[in-house]
Amino acid sequence: MKKIKLRVPATVANLVCGFDILGMAIHDPYDEMELSLTDTPEIIIRHEDPFGLPEEPSKNVAGIVLLKIQEHLKLSKGFEVTIRKHIKPGSGLGSSAASAAGAAFGANILLENILSRDEMIHFAMFGEELASGVRHADNIAPCIYGGITLVKSTDPIDIIPLNTPDLFVTAVHPQVEVKTSDSRQVLKKTISLKSAVEQWGNIAGLVAGIQKNDIPLIGRSLHDVIVEPVRSILIPQFDEIKRNSLQLGALGGGISGSGPSIFMLSEKKETAENIAALMKSIYDNVEIESYVYVSKINPGGIEPVENINNNL
């Protein structure tokens, strides 16, 4: 195979209490990527989107992944990549992870599945490192595996795919900037043992709820006593959106990644859509443009275009 077209999904990292270890794939928004294998070792990156991202391979999230794969496998061939991003950089919805994971996934198909999923994650993390300075996998893992994943370790890579509950995700991306560097800077350097124990209980409860498909337990466990209290102050209207979403019947939710996007989980599509209207209304009232997405959890992750199914 010499050409592949991919639909690469957005992802929600942390899942409230699972900082840097939990993530899930969603259907919408998504990026489109086309990758071709070439007969020369050159790597060519083209962006057909308005975000002004660099196209020099060593400075591009997808490009650095392909360079690392090329170097590791001692390839004499190269890659040509066209990227149409719909996941806005800096949205907190895994934009850089989509480019990095899509590059690794597409290259692997073109190279006749020479890499395991964990090896794809290894190479994709070089893209995350380029984008944020941190080699984390909480967005990349669900993008490649699909569904919800637990990152037990990144060195060595140890990814645990979890069950995919039949839930709806509502995500809102307010058009404000929250830099990942700023959102990490506000985090406390030390935490109390009491807070740590409470957080461990929430993470364990959330994972158990997901594995048992225990929806009330999932809802009771979607609480963060460490990261959300300090990060949420960077996101306009966060408290209002979370409070009102819970009143409308959301199971729970919080900051998507490092923000500014916010997500909520619901059992019913109607609830998810009501929450979407609420989110849009709240930001309209304060004259902040926003984009709202409703979908189920995406069980498949990255997909070749011909395999795309309805996301609801």
Side-chain angles (χ1 to χ4, degrees), residues 114-131:
I114 195 171
L115 302 173
S116 68
R117 284 190 292 191
D118 286 354
E119 287 173 325
M120 285 187 268
I121 289 169
H122 165 75
F123 288 112
M125 283 198 298
F126 286 105
E128 286 287 61
E129 184 177 33
L130 177 65

Side-chain angles (χ1 to χ4, degrees), residues 73-243:
L73 297 176
K74 298 180 173 58
L75 298 177
S76 60
K77 296 182 181 295
F79 300 92
E80 186 172 333
V81 186
T82 300
I83 304 171
R84 289 179 286 276
K85 295 198 72 64
H86 306 290
I87 311 168
K88 187 175 181 179
S91 62
L93 291 170
S95 181
S96 59
S99 294
F105 189 94
N108 184 54
I109 293 176
L110 294 171
L111 297 171
E112 299 181 352
N113 299 309
I114 195 171
L115 302 173
S116 68
R117 284 190 292 191
D118 286 354
E119 287 173 325
M120 285 187 268
I121 289 169
H122 165 75
F123 288 112
M125 283 198 298
F126 286 105
E128 286 287 61
E129 184 177 33
L130 177 65
S132 67
V134 180
R135 284 176 55 81
H136 57 92
D138 49 343
N139 290 102
I140 287 171
C143 198
I144 288 176
Y145 273 81
I148 301 175
T149 54
L150 168 65
V151 182
K152 183 181 179 297
S153 169
T154 56
D155 187 17
I157 292 173
D158 190 353
I159 307 299
I160 302 170
L162 304 180
N163 289 338
T164 304
D166 188 22
L167 297 175
F168 289 87
V169 185
T170 309
V172 60
H173 176 206
Q175 300 301 286
V176 296
E177 183 179 10
V178 175
K179 294 181 179 178
T180 301
S181 56
D182 292 340
S183 65
R184 284 190 176 266
Q185 193 170 15
V186 299
L187 298 178
K188 295 179 180 178
K189 305 302 181 190
T190 60
I191 59 173
S192 69
L193 182 60
K194 180 177 182 295
S195 294
V197 170
E198 186 175 352
Q199 194 83 338
W200 293 331
N202 288 332
I203 296 168
L206 181 56
V207 172
I210 291 168
Q211 292 300 87
K212 294 168 63 179
N213 200 35
D214 187 330
I215 305 304
L217 178 56
I218 290 173
R220 295 199 309 273
S221 303
L222 287 168
H223 295 284
D224 177 8
V225 298
I226 296 173
V227 178
E228 184 178 294
V230 291
R231 274 191 170 173
S232 61
I233 62 176
L234 301 174
I235 303 172
Q237 318 310 122
F238 176 86
D239 291 337
E240 182 182 0
I241 283 177
K242 184 165 185 175
R243 182 177 63 253

Side-chain angles (χ1 to χ4, degrees), residues 88 171-175 261 280 289-293:
K88 187 175 181 179
V172 60
H173 176 206
Q175 300 301 286
S261 290
K280 188 74 169 63
E289 186 181 4
S290 64
Y291 298 100
V292 185
Y293 309 94

